[in-house]
Amino acid sequence: SISLWMNNIGAGTYTLVSKQENSGDYRGYNFYIDGTGATAFIAFTLVHDIGPSRWIQVIGTTDLIGIGWSNLVVTYDGSSNASGVKFYINGALETSSVIVDTLGSDTTLSSTDFNIGSRDGAGLDIEAQLTQTSIFDSALSAANVLAIYNNGRPGDLTSLSPTSWWKMGEEAFCPDYTASPNVWEIPD
């Protein structure tokens, strides 16, 4: 599972979090914004090889343009099926469309570096603001996702045991953080 807070979501296609090759087989995973024209949708791919079509691609249905600071979460249950991918926006389960569901039992392991805001450090660079990016080694439950959203006030994730967690300057996201971790205010 991957969770993050994002602002200034614009049209276009760009990476949020990725461990996916930027060429060749495109092996690995990519949590990204997929947009054309004046739209932007949450999306996720899990790829063994694009060429012979052994991959999963799922895209949300809510246009994210102009929604301000939002908590975006993707979970994947490891089933090798697109039905194992779920999106959440601000704690609510997102409706999604399966675009490709042909992964089968092929591996998606990639030696590519982990990236926030870029795919393999060279492609689909982000065009928005990110904070509170966290990675989990299991599929979060709907209750876990709602706890992360915390009524629009991101809090301490340690009870959920993230594998990794990058706060990325909560002072920029939350001017009142110095008062208490429970006094989060999302700027207008």
Side-chain angles (χ1 to χ4, degrees), residues 2 18 33 43 49 67 86-87 107 116 118 124 127 135 148-149 151 154 165 171 173 178 188:
I2 302 168
S18 179
I33 298 296
D49 190 340
I67 66 170
K86 292 182 182 174
F87 296 123
T107 182
I116 296 175
S118 178
L124 303 176
E127 298 177 20
I135 309 297
I148 291 170
Y149 176 62
N151 294 315
W165 180 17
E171 290 81 9
F173 182 77
T178 55
D188 295 328

Side-chain angles (χ1 to χ4, degrees), residues 123-135:
L124 303 176
D125 295 343
I126 193 160
E127 298 177 20
Q129 298 168 317
L130 292 178
T131 191
Q132 298 288 329
T133 301
S134 52
I135 309 297

Side-chain angles (χ1 to χ4, degrees), residues 33-67:
I33 298 296
D34 185 300
T36 57
T39 62
F41 303 96
I42 193 171
F44 182 76
T45 58
L46 186 63
V47 179
H48 170 75
D49 190 340
I50 294 276
S53 193
R54 294 187 307 227
W55 59 307
I56 291 170
Q57 182 181 27
V58 181
I59 297 177
T61 59
T62 300
D63 188 354
L64 301 172
I65 299 278
I67 66 170

Side-chain angles (χ1 to χ4, degrees), residues 12-23 26 29-33 112-127:
T13 299
Y14 47 92
T15 295
L16 302 172
V17 175
S18 179
K19 187 168 175 26
Q20 183 178 52
E21 299 166 349
N22 198 41
S23 62
Y26 292 90
Y29 65 85
N30 192 19
F31 182 34
Y32 63 105
I33 298 296
T112 301
D113 290 335
F114 174 84
N115 288 269
I116 296 175
S118 178
R119 183 176 65 196
D120 199 13
L124 303 176
D125 295 343
I126 193 160
E127 298 177 20

Side-chain angles (χ1 to χ4, degrees), residues 62-156:
T62 300
D63 188 354
L64 301 172
I65 299 278
I67 66 170
W69 278 111
S70 300
N71 179 235
L72 307 178
V73 176
V74 62
T75 67
Y76 172 62
D77 66 7
S79 66
S80 297
N81 297 306
S83 62
V85 175
K86 292 182 182 174
F87 296 123
Y88 296 85
I89 299 173
N90 293 332
L93 183 62
E94 162 73 343
T95 304
S96 59
S97 297
V98 174
I99 307 303
V100 180
D101 191 6
T102 58
L103 180 62
S105 61
D106 290 313
T107 182
T108 59
L109 294 177
S110 171
S111 60
T112 301
D113 290 335
F114 174 84
N115 288 269
I116 296 175
S118 178
R119 183 176 65 196
D120 199 13
L124 303 176
D125 295 343
I126 193 160
E127 298 177 20
Q129 298 168 317
L130 292 178
T131 191
Q132 298 288 329
T133 301
S134 52
I135 309 297
F136 300 85
D137 62 5
S138 62
L140 294 171
S141 68
N144 294 146
V145 171
L146 195 56
I148 291 170
Y149 176 62
N150 192 27
N151 294 315
R153 298 173 177 201
D156 188 346

